[in-house]
Amino acid sequence: MDSQTAVNSISKRRAYSSDLYGQTNANHPLRVGLWHEGEFSWEYPKKNLDNNPTRPLLSLLSIHHTSDYEILKMRLSTKNNAKQKVKLIVQDTVYGLKCNTSFYSPNEKAIMRYTVGGVTMMGGSISGRDMAQYCVLNQEGLNTLKLKESLQQGSLPLAWIAKEEICSIYILESEITNIESEEIIIWSFHGHTENQVSNLKNNILSKYV
């Protein structure tokens, strides 16, 4: 499956999402932002800022998509000689789907989303390092100035459990120079039970890491 087809398929599973800054990423509710030196912007699937040669580069390597899972592989690189602290912010939003609850599972190192129809487990890593921060918000919490200000500071508000229409956000952290690059894995698994999605993650994720 080519990247554009996979992105469209992922979009159909969820719904449209609008940008906190008034710019839209229509059809792409799964978004990845980059925070660097006090500046934040959404980088995937649509860049909100012009390319800056001093800013780290986030590149899409591949998308793998089935009815049971979605896995994105990305690469973070820079042309700067000095070590730079970079934060990747991953946002996954679902509208129109009533969730019983959503929260972070320390055992799975993932965010769990429970609905009437089943379970979704989502997470990511950067060069093997798991998420450093996370939060889950409902629709009301997503559209707040507090969240916008937190993203601009490279952090997330304290919100660890939510119900109804859910937005899950987490941060992957890196310190990078021009002599290296880092590989990012962003994933979600879907099933009828927690055991099913846990087994899917354990059996499938290792193939892409």
Side-chain angles (χ1 to χ4, degrees):
M1 180 180 293
D2 62 75
S3 295
Q4 188 57 52
T5 301
V7 169
N8 290 339
S9 298
I10 292 171
S11 302
K12 292 177 182 177
R13 294 181 61 93
R14 309 190 187 110
Y16 292 176
S17 176
S18 61
D19 192 284
L20 288 168
Y21 304 100
Q23 299 169 328
T24 59
N25 277 314
N27 298 314
H28 298 290
L30 177 63
R31 300 186 295 167
V32 183
L34 190 151
W35 181 91
H36 172 249
E37 294 185 345
E39 185 177 72
F40 171 76
S41 69
W42 294 113
E43 299 286 318
Y44 170 86
K46 178 181 178 182
K47 289 181 180 293
N48 284 356
L49 297 177
D50 293 333
N51 288 332
N52 182 337
T54 65
R55 190 171 173 79
L57 176 65
L58 186 63
S59 305
L60 177 66
L61 299 179
S62 62
I63 298 177
H64 308 273
H65 171 76
T66 73
S67 60
D68 296 325
Y69 65 87
E70 294 116 21
I71 297 175
L72 275 70
K73 297 186 71 173
M74 310 183 89
R75 176 175 291 130
L76 180 68
S77 58
T78 181
K79 296 180 180 179
N80 199 316
N81 293 327
K83 182 173 289 188
Q84 302 176 80
K85 186 169 185 177
V86 181
K87 297 182 181 183
L88 299 176
I89 299 173
V90 182
Q91 176 180 306
D92 186 297
T93 306
V94 175
Y95 293 114
L97 179 63
K98 299 298 183 180
C99 300
N100 293 333
T101 189
S102 185
F103 58 87
Y104 177 78
S105 168
N107 290 335
E108 297 290 352
K109 298 180 180 179
I111 295 173
M112 309 295 297
R113 179 189 293 148
Y114 294 84
T115 66
V116 174
V119 181
T120 294
M121 181 187 297
M122 67 192 71
S125 63
I126 179 165
S127 295
R129 301 186 302 277
D130 297 313
M131 62 181 77
Q133 297 182 50
Y134 58 88
C135 72
V136 289
L137 303 166
N138 57 21
Q139 177 66 33
E140 182 178 346
L142 178 61
N143 296 316
T144 61
L145 181 61
K146 181 178 180 180
L147 176 59
K148 178 179 177 179
E149 291 175 343
S150 294
L151 292 176
Q152 290 173 330
Q153 297 169 6
S155 63
L156 296 175
L158 300 178
W160 298 327
I161 187 169
K163 297 182 178 182
E164 302 299 327
E165 297 179 337
I166 301 296
C167 172
S168 303
I169 311 174
Y170 59 88
I171 291 179
L172 305 172
E173 295 185 349
S174 171
E175 289 188 346
I176 191 171
T177 68
N178 67 348
I179 62 173
E180 59 189 357
S181 63
E182 298 217 273
E183 186 171 283
I184 301 135
I185 305 290
I186 297 168
W187 50 265
S188 61
F189 294 91
H190 320 283
H192 296 293
T193 67
E194 186 174 328
N195 284 339
Q196 184 181 5
V197 293
S198 181
N199 288 335
L200 279 170
K201 186 191 78 167
N202 294 335
N203 294 332
I204 293 172
L205 193 58
S206 61
K207 300 176 183 178
Y208 298 100
V209 175

